[in-house]
Amino acid sequence: ANPASSPAVPPTEPTQGATPEPPSPSLQELIDHEGPISFELGGAKLSDEASRTVERIAQLIANGTATSVIVIGHTCDKGSDATNQRVGLMRAKAVADKLAESGVPREKLSISSAGSARPRAANDSEAHRAQNRRVEIIVK
């Protein structure tokens, strides 16, 4: 058959009023959307609000297909590097413990600290420093 002589296939018309389904958000996007898990200066105790956020995240993880969950503690620039590493690790542990208590298997959890090395905002005001006192959760 000669392809040049094949009848042309008419283009299909899009269905009126139909909108394409938006792609479903990934588990990581859903977790990131839950909001910050932040802490008081030098502290590693979860506030009631942070605790509820971690519980919601635990439910997302439990319903998803994550094989590992990395919890990274962060600090602002106040304090020595050694202190910030320790505080970041305490924050990560507090969140990992809450995740485990809320149904995430411990064997999936690992913790680490970035200290003040990866700020989310410039450490130029108390409001910005507060944004850096946080825990980040990464699912794989």
Side-chain angles (χ1 to χ4, degrees):
N2 181 349
S5 65
S6 297
V9 177
T12 55
E13 289 296 315
T15 308
Q16 289 299 320
T19 55
E21 283 291 314
S24 296
S26 71
L27 178 57
Q28 186 68 58
E29 289 169 327
L30 290 171
I31 288 170
D32 293 344
H33 182 72
E34 278 300 325
I37 303 166
S38 22
F39 296 85
E40 294 297 318
L41 180 63
K45 184 179 183 311
L46 288 170
S47 67
D48 290 345
E49 181 182 349
S51 195
R52 286 189 297 273
T53 298
V54 174
E55 288 170 354
R56 288 192 306 270
I57 289 171
Q59 288 177 327
L60 291 169
I61 292 169
N63 294 333
T65 57
T67 56
S68 70
V69 181
I70 304 158
V71 184
I72 306 166
H74 297 269
T75 67
C76 66
D77 65 348
K78 297 284 189 186
S80 69
D81 286 347
T83 297
N84 286 337
Q85 273 303 119
R86 183 177 51 77
V87 170
L89 205 53
M90 289 172 20
R91 289 174 178 167
K93 183 181 182 325
V95 170
D97 288 348
K98 186 66 176 179
L99 287 168
E101 186 183 299
S102 302
V104 177
R106 279 226 182 251
E107 61 272 11
K108 288 186 178 186
L109 294 166
S110 64
I111 63 171
S112 68
S113 173
S116 62
R118 296 199 328 245
R120 175 177 283 163
N123 282 297
D124 58 2
S125 70
E126 181 47 38
H128 287 160
R129 283 186 188 92
Q131 291 178 41
N132 295 329
R133 296 190 295 265
R134 69 194 193 282
V135 164
E136 178 181 12
I137 298 174
I138 300 171
V139 293
K140 296 191 183 244

